[in-house]
């Protein structure tokens, strides 16, 4: 690998790291705001709270299980970003919550919760845009929809498969959360906002920022 390729690879790797840490911080903010989270986080939050396991550990286990299917059916989606995503998003979220608890920072008023929700939506979309633009692997859950499409030989397309998977995750999160009374904290307005806004916002930030940023850097090195 020549110096130009190595430099480009390092920059893409850095983009993955920054993007995924932004997503992890966003997940932590969603949990603190307690106004709903994305379907996958909602499911893992419900299960981890129900069985008393640390959120990051539970998310890592679930990701590892899904990764087996990704390896079997869509191994081309596996890369550095895949592993970094499945390991660090959950633990970064746990660290954010631990940090606020350690310094007894109260963010429980409605204005602050709304601010956290808006900040979390922007962070998760900007982070995802940066991470996807780097093109160094896909998270196991993001790849799951393509696995369903493959297994059904295209009869269930990715966009439909993703909706089905999201509904299943929300249902599991709601049922497990209901058993300990947190269902409306993990399923809420944040979940709805993410369902409708994540795709368009990620595309917006990719087109107008992250894709251009990485292309501009590579152009300057050529």
């Amino acid at each position: 690998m020549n110096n130009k390729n190595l430099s480009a690879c390092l920059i893409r790797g850095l983009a993955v790291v920054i993007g995924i840490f932004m997503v992890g911080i966003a997940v932590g903010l969603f949990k603190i705001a307690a106004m709903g989270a994305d379907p996958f986080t909602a499911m893992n939050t419900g299960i981890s709270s129900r069985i008393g396991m640390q959120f990051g550990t539970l998310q890592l286990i679930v990701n590892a299980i899904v990764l087996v299917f990704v390896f079997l059916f869509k191994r081309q989606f596996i890369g550095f970003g895949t592993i970094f995503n499945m390991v660090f998003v959950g633990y970064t979220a746990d660290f954010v919550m631990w940090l606020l608890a350690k310094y007894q920072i109260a963010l429980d008023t409605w204005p602050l919760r709304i601010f956290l929700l808006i900040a979390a939506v922007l962070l998760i979309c900007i982070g995802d845009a940066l991470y996807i633009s780097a093109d160094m692997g896909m998270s196991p859950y993001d790849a799951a929809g393509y696995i369903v499409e493959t297994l059904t030989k295209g009869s269930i397309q990715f966009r439909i498969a993703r909706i089905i998977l999201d509904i299943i995750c929300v249902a599991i999160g709601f049922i497990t959360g209901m058993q300990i009374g947190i269902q409306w904290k993990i399923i809420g307005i944040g979940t709805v906002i993410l369902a409708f806004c994540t795709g368009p916002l990620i595309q917006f930030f990719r087109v107008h920022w992250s894709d251009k940023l990485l292309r501009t850097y590579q152009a300057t090195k050529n």
Side-chain angles (χ1 to χ4, degrees), residues 40-109:
F40 189 60
T41 298
M43 179 185 73
N44 291 330
T45 299
I47 295 173
S48 63
S49 299
R50 179 66 181 82
I51 66 177
M53 181 180 289
Q54 186 178 359
F55 170 78
T57 301
L58 189 281
Q59 179 138 314
L60 177 59
I61 292 171
V62 174
N63 270 321
I65 293 171
V66 179
L67 184 63
V68 172
F69 291 93
V70 178
F71 180 79
L72 291 174
F73 299 104
K74 287 290 181 181
R75 66 183 64 183
Q76 67 267 29
F77 289 157
I78 298 176
F80 166 68
T82 307
I83 306 303
F84 203 84
N85 181 293
M86 61 184 286
V87 173
F88 285 98
V89 168
Y91 286 120
T92 300
D94 281 338
F95 176 75
V96 170
M97 298 182 68
W98 171 83
L99 196 63
L100 293 178
K102 177 179 175 62
Y103 292 101
Q104 299 180 342
I105 301 174
L107 300 170
D108 52 1
T109 64

Side-chain angles (χ1 to χ4, degrees), residues 93-182:
D94 281 338
F95 176 75
V96 170
M97 298 182 68
W98 171 83
L99 196 63
L100 293 178
K102 177 179 175 62
Y103 292 101
Q104 299 180 342
I105 301 174
L107 300 170
D108 52 1
T109 64
W110 273 104
L112 282 175
R113 290 174 65 193
I114 292 172
F115 172 79
L116 288 178
L117 179 63
I118 294 171
V121 170
L122 291 175
L123 270 176
I124 202 169
C125 292
I126 294 172
D128 269 338
L130 191 58
Y131 151 66
I132 293 170
S133 292
D135 192 25
M136 295 188 73
M138 186 179 293
S139 74
Y141 184 68
D142 287 336
Y146 292 103
I147 293 174
V148 173
E149 185 177 49
T150 298
L151 292 177
T152 60
K153 298 181 179 180
S155 59
I156 300 178
Q157 297 180 355
F158 170 78
R159 60 186 180 85
I160 302 300
R162 183 57 183 259
I163 292 172
I164 293 171
L165 290 171
D166 282 350
I167 291 172
I168 292 172
C169 286
V170 169
I172 294 173
F174 186 86
I175 291 170
T176 53
M178 185 171 58
Q179 295 175 4
I180 54 176
I182 63 169

